[in-house]
Amino acid sequence: MAPSGGDITGATLSSNLDGGNIAIRSSGGLTGGSGNVNINDAVSWSADTALTVIAANDVNVNAGITATGATSGLNLNASAANGADVATGTGSVNVVNNSVVIAGAVEVTGVNLNVGSAAATAPSLLQGGSLSAALSGDISVVGAASGSGASAVMYSNGTQSLSANGIMVQGGADGTYNYAQIGAGGDQQITAGGIAIQGGGGTSYGNYAQITHGGSGNQAISLTGGGALTLQGGSGTGAATDDPRVVN
């Protein structure tokens, strides 16, 4: 998907979604590829419809995705067989330098899920009215190593269920407000073989890392297979901040 030269433009897909549910498959590309689905053009719709993306390898979100319908939906499925494409067994869903904001439900499957990265230059956000992610590998939410405001956030306005082999939440190494956060406004269930929360560094502020929960729901964090929960404070030396996100 791209403004030009791709299989479909973001404008066309947006219009189609206002008329019904749409599925995009890596096997449906006009030219052969590596099993990836690359979203390189912004998509937005207002209807109560769902976009399903199925890739034999990676789903790369390189442009914004927005849906405002109360029961709209987004399904991102990496490393999934479809058509003539065989699942690679290594596919990831990658949301870097862009925002995915869905008023309805978001569901993610695959091997790994990456929100943000140390090399990010803009905010990375994966947000839904509810959010479910079931990965056979790891979930990584990582703030940028430098610059300013390149945060990484995975958040549900309602319920959130995360399941993975490992979960890493890491604040940026330098810069300002390159924080990393997993959070939910409703019930939150997190199950993983291990969880590591690493505060950021640098000579500025706002590079924290956290798993947070608000609202009236419950939060449960479960470690499987004898895994560990590791909390490590940041090494930053910058000025203090009373940003409420640090303490909630």
Side-chain angles (χ1 to χ4, degrees), residues 113-188:
L113 169 60
N114 301 302
V115 179
S117 78
T121 57
S124 305
L125 172 64
L126 177 60
Q127 179 175 330
S130 65
L131 199 156
S132 173
L135 290 306
S136 61
D138 300 328
I139 295 174
S140 298
V141 181
V142 179
S146 61
S148 178
S151 57
V153 176
M154 186 174 178
Y155 190 83
S156 171
N157 296 323
T159 61
Q160 181 157 256
S161 175
L162 308 179
S163 175
N165 179 58
I167 296 177
M168 179 179 68
V169 185
Q170 182 172 325
D174 206 345
T176 303
Y177 286 117
N178 295 328
Y179 56 87
Q181 180 188 77
I182 291 176
D187 290 345
Q188 180 164 248

Side-chain angles (χ1 to χ4, degrees), residues 77-229:
N77 306 299
S79 199
N82 63 98
D85 284 1
V86 178
T88 63
T90 59
S92 300
V93 174
N94 304 302
V95 180
V96 181
N97 289 332
N98 285 285
S99 295
V100 175
V101 180
I102 307 299
V106 174
E107 296 186 5
V108 180
T109 65
V111 178
N112 300 310
L113 169 60
N114 301 302
V115 179
S117 78
T121 57
S124 305
L125 172 64
L126 177 60
Q127 179 175 330
S130 65
L131 199 156
S132 173
L135 290 306
S136 61
D138 300 328
I139 295 174
S140 298
V141 181
V142 179
S146 61
S148 178
S151 57
V153 176
M154 186 174 178
Y155 190 83
S156 171
N157 296 323
T159 61
Q160 181 157 256
S161 175
L162 308 179
S163 175
N165 179 58
I167 296 177
M168 179 179 68
V169 185
Q170 182 172 325
D174 206 345
T176 303
Y177 286 117
N178 295 328
Y179 56 87
Q181 180 188 77
I182 291 176
D187 290 345
Q188 180 164 248
Q189 172 71 52
I190 299 175
T191 303
I195 299 175
I197 303 174
Q198 168 68 62
T203 58
S204 194
Y205 50 85
N207 294 343
Y208 57 87
Q210 67 177 188
I211 294 178
T212 182
H213 169 259
S216 58
N218 300 310
Q219 177 169 254
I221 298 177
S222 302
L223 296 173
T224 60
L229 171 61

Side-chain angles (χ1 to χ4, degrees), residues 1 37-41 43 51 53 59-65 76:
M1 182 192 315
V37 173
N38 302 309
I39 300 173
N40 295 332
D41 197 13
V43 181
L51 171 63
V53 180
V59 175
N60 298 309
V61 180
N62 301 320
I65 304 176
L76 302 175

